[in-house]
Amino acid sequence: MARFNLSRWAIRHPALVGFLIALLFAAGAAQFFALGRDEDPTFTLKEMIVAASWPGASPAPMRAQVADPIERRLRATEDLDFLQTYCVDGRCAIRVSLKDSAPKDRVPVIWQQVRKQLKDLEPGLPAGATVAADDDYADVYGYVFTLTGADNARLVALAEQARDAMLRIPGAGKVQITGEVPRRLFVDVDSRRLAALGLSPDAVVQALAKRSSVAPAGAVERSMRVPVRIGGTVDGVDTVETTAIPGADGTIRVGDVGTVSNGYADPPDGLVRHAAKPAVVLAIAMAPGADGLGFGKQLSQVAATFGHTLPAGVTMTQVEDQSQNIREAVNAFLIKFFCALTVVLLVAFVTLGWRTGVVVALSVPLTLAIVALFMGASGIGLERISLGALILSLGLLVDDAIISVEAMVVQLEQGASRADAAAYAWTHTAFPMLTGTLLTIVGFLPVGFAQSTTSEYAGGIFWVTGSALLVSWVVAVVFTPYLGVRLLPEAHAHHDADAMYDTPVYRRLRSVVDACMARRKTVVAVTAALLIASLAGAMLVRQQFFPVSDRPEIIVDVSLRPGSSLAATSAAVKRIEASIAKDRDIAQADSYVGQGSPRFYLPYGPSLPDPATATMVLVATDLHARERVIAQLLANHASPEAKLHIRRLSLGPSAGFPVQYRVIGPDPEMLRTIAARLEAVLRTTSGTTAVQADWGTPSVAMRLDLDAERVARLGLDRARLAGDVATMMSGQPAGDVLRGTKRIGIVVRGTAADRTDPGRLADMAVSTPGGPVPLGQVARIGATTEQPILWTRNGELCMTVQADMTGDVQASEVVDAAAARVAAIATSLPAGYRIEDGGDSELSAKANDAIYALLPVTFALMLVLLMIQLQSIGRTLLVLATAPLGLIGAVTALVVTGAPFGFVALLGLIALAGMIMRNSIILVDQVTHNQADGMDLHAAIRAATIGRSRPVVLTALAAVLAFIPLCFNIFWGPMAIVMIGGLIGATILTLVALPALYALAFDRTSSLPQQDHHDA
């Protein structure tokens, strides 16, 4: 170290160093403005939806014959966390969730393995059952347009034209069209007429299917290849009506036994409305790495151009514009960033003087320019996390520059030349400063390397802050000495080395330090008591996982009792739409009936398709209006049959319902009984809303018990009979009509009266070899009840009781308030039943566990760094003992402000320990130098504390002031409050408690009390 002095090298190569400064400034500034912009950092959603269908199956057989085999095959999936399944009439959906620790690079490979497993499994499922996987569930469609003002088919055609135009924009990814209702050709047949003619519904289906099929007819091979085409395929209502059905007495036309009409799928899979009008939604996702602002601008231009070509009456409205959210988020953070930068520079000028302040002021933008180059090379853009980390870094990166220039100023005031003063910064502060910098970086290490989705979301804190701190050290030992030699004044001919510390402020500080060392036991005891009190005070701090977003959207999940029809759900939503139609606080309203909305925001998880549910996306005019709309909706009784779950968007990963309890066991009725007790607990817990269980109540089903003897005597085919009943009641596909890129399905079904009146089921005529007979003569028809929906988790029946919170109540407060009563229920459960916690508490525990798992590694790295620098176990333990001192001020600040303690605040608290040890190690190292220069222990401690007080206070002041703009941010506010309170408290204790602790630890009552015991 003595042979090579990087600071001296820098001042001996002024041309090169000056050129590097100019080059890095220019390149970094250009890179900063070229960085991609986004609202939030991306993170890998480790979920896939596997959907299966088996038309005609009730939920119980659906679970036993389809869902269970699929689950058994999927349980071997790599890094599987859980399988969550729901089964309804004819359909089931399985949510495949991977562990938080699953490496994001492996996720696509795992999904490919799942698809392969499903393909291998499908032949073993019951006849007619199908299965498909969808991992597009995780795609984010941040640009959403609605088209209204025409029939569905016309709107879909226009949406497809717009899609083709938008896909040509550079940076465009996937495009999704939602709200298309498939067109159908319906053949409504009368069962009695069919039976009288000796025909079954299946005969109509087969005739139409054969005529609409497309098959090769060969080709004539001569000098030219001439293909042979067979005409007469079904192409519309007329050809359907003229299709011949073979019968016992000849052929019969379809038009003679049924009415043929054009229409739409009935019921459709889902409906979309914009401002209470039928709509089709066009949603666009950006390609990975695209610039959100640039893409959004080009997309708006294409949409405006396309809008001029729309037919009269058709309107295209952009309901989600991610670029606008990006612009607002980035601009707001840039304002905070430049405010924090201005504050830091003002602190430097006011406290250090003009010339010294200029040196520090120039080092800050130089550091940021180099960090911008690192961000560009690493693919890190400007978004919520990276911008917050830059602001956070501002409060930290000035430390090295201030420490370095402070050391130079002290040497100049003591008579050293500028060159020697610059070289002194390297020999006396560079390596303790590097160790302190690395300690601070290591403090952020858990969030950078923790294996969890949450850490993937917030991991930019480590990479941006870590790079800024490392670069700031390089700037402090290379560029700051160069700037100091250029800008600081030469040493005076006459100087007094002690004069600068002989001021009223330093004299008072010296008295305080002496008093603390004299009463060191008392000071250390008081500090320990404050630390214990802060640990107790932490119990008063509200807990939070991630805060709610500052976006104006309101998500209203509407759920009717399971088994409700899409028409009933749509009617309920229409009544809610009508009740809020004139609310001026609502800028726009979109409804997705029977399905979830596109994932327009990464942390938002759309609901799964279900005819009994709907999602309304309301956009308020501002945040105050958002709260007024929520209050109105909570009191809304427009659809009393529907349950409303009203929620804001979340900043970061979150559960749909923040409070959840999973009741697991074998018997549905017992699950329902236990769930009812939990619902009663939550309803009587202050601050809860939207309390509900996800199963609902049993629903009515029609049951046909066939008379086996009569069926056999009449020669009826049981399976064919079931198919005929299904055709008459629900419809049966009978081929397709091909029109352009569309396929219009032909559906054979009963008349409207037969389909909608269960009382006519007994009169439905069924054909037999001996002639038609009413269905009631071969079957006993009655009503029964069944579970309309079955939820399982990892193969076990699971009923989830869930709730949301009102106002500013946190999920942890509800869980804590209900904990005793929930525990009492859990202890009284029968054998084979259990209650598991879910919701935000489960997600928070997973995220925190991933952080805590790396704390031993973090602690070990800190020990290694301290031992390398201090070469003393005693001093290493001394510095480690100062790490928790930030807790005193942090808890005080949280209690006073009422801010919640969440995941981001936890990261701040961990990093705060590194920052405190950074200051401690420099002070302890200075004590060692002073003792080596011949001072006794107390004098060395006093001189080190006095000498280090100005840079310690200045760096803390710069950091505290830089963090202030973050205090008013929803996401970063708690972390900033933790850092401000912790730094203020720790700075005071570093100058007061650390000298006392040092004296208590190393003041030996031996013959050589002044010696440095390296083995201490």
Side-chain angles (χ1 to χ4, degrees):
M1 289 187 291
R3 286 192 299 271
F4 177 74
N5 189 310
L6 189 57
S7 299
R8 192 180 293 279
W9 175 89
I11 62 177
R12 287 178 177 175
H13 298 81
L16 174 59
V17 175
F19 169 76
L20 288 175
I21 289 176
L23 178 65
L24 291 171
F25 259 128
Q31 180 65 74
F32 183 83
F33 291 105
L35 291 174
R37 266 73 167 167
D38 210 338
E39 184 179 8
D40 285 285
T42 59
F43 59 89
T44 305
L45 287 164
K46 299 167 185 175
E47 290 186 349
M48 171 186 269
I49 302 300
V50 175
S53 65
W54 186 19
S58 64
M62 195 75 208
R63 177 197 168 208
Q65 298 296 324
V66 178
D68 281 358
I70 295 174
E71 285 189 353
R72 284 195 296 271
R73 184 65 66 95
L74 294 182
R75 278 180 199 139
T77 302
E78 178 183 345
D79 282 318
L80 178 67
D81 186 10
F82 64 87
L83 300 171
Q84 185 181 34
T85 305
Y86 78 82
C87 294
V88 293
D89 190 35
R91 294 184 298 111
C92 71
I94 302 172
R95 188 194 302 269
V96 186
S97 293
L98 303 182
K99 293 177 181 176
D100 245 8
S101 56
K104 63 178 182 179
D105 296 335
R106 288 288 303 166
V107 173
V109 179
I110 295 172
W111 294 152
Q112 189 60 37
Q113 293 172 351
V114 169
R115 289 192 185 89
K116 184 177 181 299
Q117 294 283 342
L118 294 176
K119 186 176 181 181
D120 294 342
L121 173 71
E122 190 165 15
L125 295 177
T130 60
V131 61
D134 177 20
D135 61 343
D136 289 345
Y137 176 77
D139 292 329
V140 179
Y141 296 87
Y143 302 88
V144 181
F145 298 84
T146 60
L147 288 104
T148 56
D151 66 12
N152 187 265
R154 182 60 174 151
L155 293 178
V156 170
L158 293 171
E160 289 172 341
Q161 294 175 26
R163 174 194 62 194
D164 295 340
M166 292 171 178
L167 279 173
R168 291 191 285 269
I169 301 173
K174 297 179 181 178
V175 178
Q176 179 186 84
I177 295 177
T178 305
E180 178 179 5
V181 181
R183 297 184 67 184
R184 296 285 185 262
L185 269 175
F186 290 111
V187 181
D188 294 346
V189 296
D190 188 324
S191 66
R192 298 166 187 79
R193 181 163 180 75
L194 283 176
L197 294 170
L199 298 175
S200 67
D202 185 60
V204 182
V205 171
Q206 293 300 324
L208 289 169
K210 289 176 181 177
R211 186 172 182 183
S212 63
S213 64
V214 176
V220 178
E221 299 288 346
R222 298 179 64 83
S223 59
M224 294 288 290
R225 186 174 187 274
V226 181
V228 177
R229 310 293 188 199
I230 297 179
T233 58
V234 176
D235 60 5
V237 172
D238 292 341
T239 53
V240 169
E241 288 179 334
T242 59
T243 299
I245 309 170
D249 300 324
T251 59
I252 300 169
R253 296 168 62 253
V254 168
D256 295 333
V257 296
T259 303
V260 183
S261 61
N262 279 303
Y264 292 96
D266 181 24
D269 290 334
L271 298 171
V272 178
R273 289 197 289 272
H274 171 71
K277 299 177 183 177
V280 169
V281 167
L282 180 67
I284 302 96
M286 279 195 310
D291 177 23
L293 291 181
F295 178 74
K297 183 177 180 181
Q298 293 182 69
L299 186 63
S300 296
Q301 292 171 350
V302 171
T305 301
F306 182 78
H308 295 313
T309 68
L310 292 174
V314 177
T315 304
M316 186 165 75
T317 307
Q318 186 164 8
V319 297
E320 288 293 341
D321 184 358
Q322 192 176 30
S323 66
Q324 180 63 27
N325 293 318
I326 293 171
R327 187 178 296 108
E328 292 175 359
V330 171
N331 289 346
F333 265 98
L334 286 176
I335 291 171
K336 289 181 172 66
F337 173 73
F338 285 112
C339 286
L341 179 59
T342 302
V343 166
V344 169
L345 298 182
L346 284 175
V347 170
F349 285 125
V350 171
T351 59
L352 298 175
W354 174 251
R355 287 177 176 242
T356 307
V358 168
V359 176
V360 174
L362 290 174
S363 69
V364 174
L366 177 60
T367 300
L368 294 175
I370 302 173
V371 172
L373 293 174
F374 166 79
M375 291 173 65
S378 304
I380 301 174
L382 296 179
E383 25 77 2
R384 188 186 313 277
I385 297 297
S386 62
L387 280 168
L390 282 174
I391 299 174
L392 180 66
S393 301
L394 279 178
L396 307 176
L397 59 83
V398 292
D399 287 14
D400 290 338
I402 289 177
I403 291 169
S404 182
V405 77
E406 170 74 12
M408 290 181 65
V409 169
V410 170
Q411 290 302 302
L412 289 172
E413 290 176 346
Q414 293 180 352
S417 67
R418 282 184 291 187
D420 289 340
Y424 177 86
W426 173 266
T427 57
H428 284 72
T429 62
F431 291 96
M433 198 162 60
L434 176 61
T435 303
T437 296
L438 293 176
L439 281 172
T440 307
I441 294 173
V442 168
F444 286 102
L445 181 142
V447 70
F449 290 94
Q451 295 296 314
S452 73
T453 300
T454 305
S455 293
E456 185 183 344
Y457 175 78
I461 298 174
F462 169 77
W463 298 107
V464 174
T465 305
S467 64
L469 289 172
L470 276 179
V471 170
S472 73
W473 180 83
V474 174
V475 169
V477 298
V478 177
F479 298 113
T480 300
Y482 165 82
L483 295 171
V485 168
R486 292 273 178 171
L487 297 173
L488 295 179
E490 190 60 81
H492 299 289
H494 303 286
H495 60 272
D496 182 358
D498 296 325
M500 64 174 294
Y501 298 120
D502 192 18
T503 64
V505 172
Y506 281 117
R507 285 196 292 270
R508 284 199 220 52
L509 179 59
R510 188 177 293 108
S511 300
V512 171
V513 172
D514 286 339
C516 289
M517 286 191 292
R519 300 173 178 80
R520 48 189 175 271
K521 291 184 179 180
T522 302
V523 172
V524 171
V526 170
T527 303
L530 289 174
L531 186 58
I532 294 171
S534 67
L535 291 172
M539 304 299 293
L540 303 176
V541 177
R542 296 187 302 153
Q543 302 297 307
Q544 182 187 64
F545 184 37
F546 275 101
V548 296
S549 172
D550 52 0
R551 291 177 54 138
E553 286 93 347
I554 303 166
I555 307 299
V556 183
D557 292 320
V558 182
S559 58
L560 276 68
R561 59 182 296 178
S564 297
S565 67
L566 188 81
T569 307
S570 178
V573 172
K574 282 183 178 179
R575 287 192 288 274
I576 298 173
E577 289 171 337
S579 70
I580 61 174
K582 296 181 180 180
D583 192 335
R584 294 185 178 181
D585 285 331
I586 300 175
Q588 65 188 38
D590 297 281
S591 302
Y592 300 84
V593 183
Q595 60 192 337
S597 71
R599 187 188 290 270
F600 58 87
Y601 174 63
L602 184 59
Y604 165 65
S607 58
L608 297 177
D610 185 348
T613 65
T615 297
M616 299 179 68
V617 181
L618 312 180
V619 181
T621 53
D622 55 47
L623 294 185
H624 294 296
R626 181 185 73 179
E627 300 309 309
R628 290 195 295 270
V629 171
I630 290 175
Q632 178 188 341
L633 287 169
L634 287 171
N636 192 323
H637 301 293
S639 294
E641 76 278 21
K643 295 179 180 178
L644 303 186
H645 176 209
I646 304 158
R647 54 189 170 120
R648 309 162 186 86
L649 296 174
S650 173
L651 289 174
S654 70
F657 281 84
V659 178
Q660 295 183 14
Y661 295 100
R662 294 189 294 269
V663 186
I664 299 173
D667 179 46
E669 290 308 317
M670 179 56 71
L671 293 182
R672 196 179 302 281
T673 301
I674 299 168
R677 295 173 64 189
L678 289 173
E679 285 186 76
V681 168
L682 290 179
R683 285 198 176 92
T684 55
T685 300
S686 176
T688 59
T689 183
V691 179
Q692 56 191 269
D694 59 356
W695 281 36
T697 56
S699 61
V700 176
M702 299 297 294
R703 182 180 177 89
L704 304 181
D705 292 318
L706 297 180
D707 185 331
E709 182 179 344
R710 185 166 178 76
V711 166
R713 187 169 63 251
L714 291 173
L716 279 173
D717 183 327
R718 179 189 178 93
R720 187 169 178 177
L721 174 64
D724 287 349
V725 173
T727 300
M728 299 302 294
M729 298 299 294
S730 302
Q732 184 75 15
D736 299 298
V737 175
L738 306 182
R739 288 184 184 169
T741 61
K742 297 294 183 183
R743 291 189 304 170
I744 301 175
I746 304 171
V747 177
V748 177
R749 62 183 185 178
T751 62
D754 286 338
R755 296 195 313 272
T756 57
D757 184 3
R760 300 184 63 169
L761 193 60
D763 297 330
M764 180 184 295
V766 293
S767 60
T768 72
V773 296
L775 181 61
Q777 292 186 11
V778 295
R780 186 173 64 256
I781 303 172
T784 185
T785 60
E786 64 181 19
Q787 299 292 341
I789 185 169
L790 294 175
W791 284 91
T792 63
R793 185 180 176 91
N794 291 334
E796 298 179 284
L797 288 176
C798 175
M799 186 177 293
T800 303
V801 179
Q802 44 205 8
D804 211 323
M805 299 85 61
T806 58
D808 196 31
V809 177
Q810 301 298 324
S812 60
E813 296 176 277
V814 172
V815 171
D816 290 343
R821 288 181 290 169
V822 171
I825 295 173
T827 55
S828 64
L829 295 179
Y833 294 85
R834 67 184 187 277
I835 296 174
E836 295 179 353
D837 290 338
D840 278 3
S841 62
E842 183 179 38
L843 293 178
S844 179
K846 288 182 179 179
N848 292 344
D849 287 346
I851 294 293
Y852 297 149
L854 285 176
L855 288 185
V857 177
T858 302
F859 183 73
L861 287 174
M862 287 180 172
L863 276 176
V864 170
L865 290 170
L866 289 171
M867 284 300 298
I868 291 173
Q869 176 61 41
L870 298 174
Q871 304 282 315
S872 166
I873 294 176
R875 291 189 180 86
T876 295
L877 294 176
L878 177 69
V879 172
L880 282 175
T882 64
L885 295 181
L887 190 63
I888 298 172
V891 171
T892 302
L894 288 173
V895 171
V896 170
T897 60
F901 183 81
F903 180 78
V904 180
L906 172 65
L907 302 181
L909 191 62
I910 295 171
L912 187 62
M915 296 166 63
I916 295 168
M917 287 189 287
R918 173 195 180 104
N919 283 332
S920 299
I921 195 173
I922 295 175
L923 191 148
V924 169
D925 187 77
Q926 188 62 50
V927 173
T928 304
H929 280 296
N930 291 346
Q931 286 187 287
D933 291 339
M935 292 186 185
D936 64 42
L937 179 61
H938 285 207
I941 295 172
R942 183 189 309 112
T945 305
I946 299 301
R948 301 303 311 148
S949 61
R950 185 160 72 165
V952 166
V953 171
L954 289 183
T955 54
L957 179 63
V960 166
L961 294 177
F963 293 152
I964 287 177
L966 282 180
C967 289
F968 306 100
N969 181 266
I970 294 176
F971 184 82
W972 291 97
M975 183 182 197
I977 290 170
V978 164
M979 302 290 266
I980 289 173
L983 275 177
I984 291 174
T987 299
I988 295 171
L989 292 172
T990 299
L991 299 176
V992 174
L994 183 57
L997 185 59
Y998 201 117
L1000 182 64
F1002 291 94
D1003 189 2
R1004 308 293 190 217
T1005 55
S1006 64
S1007 57
L1008 296 172
Q1010 299 88 0
Q1011 291 184 5
D1012 181 19
H1013 299 283
H1014 288 285
D1015 61 345

